[in-house]
Amino acid sequence: MGTSWPVGLDTIYGGATVVAERVTELSNGMFKITTFPAGELFPGLEVLQNVSQGTVECGHTALYYYVGLDPAWGIATALPFGLTAQQQNSWLYHGGGEAAINKLGQNFGVICFAAGNTGAQMGGWFRREINTVSDLQGLKMRIPGLGAQVMQRLGVVTQTLPGGEIFQALSTGAVDAAEWVGAYDDEKLGLPDAADFYYSPGWWEPGPSLHVVINLDAWNKLPKEYQSFMRVAAWESNMNMLAKYDALNNDALDRIVTKGKKLKVYSNEILNAAQKAAFELYAENEAKSAAFKEIFPSWNAFRQKIQRWHQTNELPFNLFVRDNPI
């Protein structure tokens, strides 16, 4: 299993190791998977290509890294202003999402199972404060996927860098801003030492799924029991990662704030402009990608329904406990 993650990021790399360990346990030691960090077998942003080609049997990655191959891969991970982690899992498991992604995967000779979610991500580290869309003009930012394409429409110059290269780029000024995941991982990467302004929310990744990607020929050769073990292990990794990040981010954020770093919220001007640009981008992607055109309308209908439901019951509760702390 090749991955997109440095081994030092224990929670996100743990998405791969949990799968491997659980498969070994379920098979009583008969089915073993060896995990490799980004860069050891091939670059971290080339997992899908190497699994597709059969260089390795499987990988662990974020499928939105591969929107250059087909923009529909972005839907598999997260779309800007899309689904929260809870909503994303609902779409994948009970809204036809997994089947839709695996239909796309057939074009690349892979099958994919959700095996991790970070929860809503933070909106990135900035070396200077931003308040308006004009503040974004010419700003250099590390951000991948369709979120990067939205930022480009707001005047940002984007780069896709693997996690292990972000600190160097941000601390030296090679980029003016960078996003990764959230407080726990950002602290591990040293990002609080590279910039002063920490923004929320990560509107481009409100609930991003990570996936185990398996070469389809290798998958079809597995005994049915081993296929079941893989599905169970991926499910467990998906649930475990989200719970672990939610537990770890709290204390990490406290440590970051104690350092004097400034927490900021994106202005409504920036959020409105980004949301408008995002849905314009989706319309364009429907016109140029058959897979995007097939998946997006049903995904969007699901998004509208589940957001309405959560606004009916979960939003009032969260607003109350926020405004009436005890």
Side-chain angles (χ1 to χ4, degrees):
M1 179 184 286
T3 76
S4 294
W5 327 116
V7 69
L9 294 179
D10 57 313
T11 303
I12 200 165
Y13 185 74
T17 59
V18 165
V19 171
E21 291 165 2
R22 191 71 169 122
V23 161
T24 299
E25 180 182 0
L26 289 168
S27 66
N28 199 25
M30 297 297 291
F31 182 14
K32 296 182 179 180
I33 299 172
T34 305
T35 60
F36 293 88
E40 191 160 325
L41 299 179
F42 39 76
L45 303 182
E46 297 179 8
V47 172
L48 176 62
Q49 297 93 320
N50 280 276
V51 174
S52 177
Q53 294 163 7
T55 307
V56 291
E57 291 87 0
C58 63
H60 191 274
T61 189
L63 289 169
Y64 71 171
Y65 289 151
Y66 312 102
V67 294
L69 301 177
D70 194 305
W73 282 122
I75 308 175
T77 302
L79 290 186
F81 300 98
L83 303 174
T84 65
Q86 184 174 334
Q87 294 166 354
Q88 175 80 350
N89 284 334
S90 181
W91 175 67
L92 286 170
Y93 296 135
H94 297 286
E98 185 177 274
I101 296 308
N102 281 327
K103 185 176 180 180
L104 170 63
Q106 289 177 4
N107 298 333
F108 294 82
V110 300
I111 188 169
C112 312
F113 303 107
N117 197 305
T118 67
Q121 295 194 0
M122 287 292 285
W125 289 91
F126 289 75
R127 291 164 62 91
R128 57 180 171 83
E129 191 171 356
I130 57 166
N131 296 303
T132 66
V133 173
S134 63
D135 292 335
L136 297 173
Q137 304 305 303
L139 183 139
K140 301 186 297 292
M141 184 175 186
R142 181 273 174 196
I143 179 174
L146 295 180
Q149 294 181 26
V150 173
M151 279 293 197
Q152 290 166 12
R153 290 168 182 246
L154 302 184
V156 177
V157 178
T158 66
Q159 297 182 36
T160 300
L161 299 172
E165 298 179 16
I166 299 175
F167 172 78
Q168 176 76 7
L170 187 60
S171 63
T172 61
V175 296
D176 306 305
E179 63 82 44
W180 178 243
V181 173
Y184 180 73
D185 274 0
D186 291 3
E187 184 183 45
K188 275 186 166 289
L189 289 178
L191 302 188
D193 297 322
D196 289 330
F197 298 95
Y198 199 21
Y199 276 79
S200 72
W203 44 263
W204 51 89
E205 294 178 274
S209 294
L210 310 176
H211 280 79
V212 165
V213 183
I214 308 165
N215 179 276
L216 200 51
D217 289 337
W219 172 258
N220 289 331
K221 292 176 183 176
L222 289 176
K224 294 297 182 185
E225 300 94 318
Y226 286 13
Q227 290 181 352
S228 295
F229 297 158
M230 285 291 291
R231 290 179 180 271
V232 169
W235 177 291
E236 183 171 323
S237 180
N238 195 31
M239 298 299 112
N240 178 72
M241 185 187 293
L242 178 61
K244 190 173 182 180
Y245 268 122
D246 277 343
L248 293 171
N249 279 326
N250 303 295
D251 292 340
L253 185 62
D254 285 344
R255 292 191 294 269
I256 287 170
V257 172
T258 299
K259 279 187 166 185
K261 302 302 174 177
K262 301 175 180 63
L263 290 178
K264 297 287 184 177
V265 177
Y266 280 112
S267 67
N268 282 342
E269 178 185 331
I270 291 175
L271 290 173
N272 282 323
Q275 182 171 249
K276 181 176 182 293
F279 280 83
E280 290 172 350
L281 175 63
Y282 304 153
E284 294 173 15
N285 283 337
E286 284 189 275
K288 67 182 183 182
S289 164
F292 199 98
K293 185 177 181 179
E294 181 175 355
I295 299 171
F296 180 78
S298 61
W299 173 90
N300 196 32
F302 187 90
R303 177 188 70 88
Q304 292 168 342
K305 288 191 293 185
I306 198 167
Q307 287 181 346
R308 183 170 64 246
W309 165 237
H310 283 176
Q311 289 161 5
T312 299
N313 68 337
E314 295 202 16
L315 179 61
F317 174 78
N318 287 327
L319 291 175
F320 174 80
V321 297
R322 182 199 66 182
D323 295 337
N324 298 275
I326 294 179

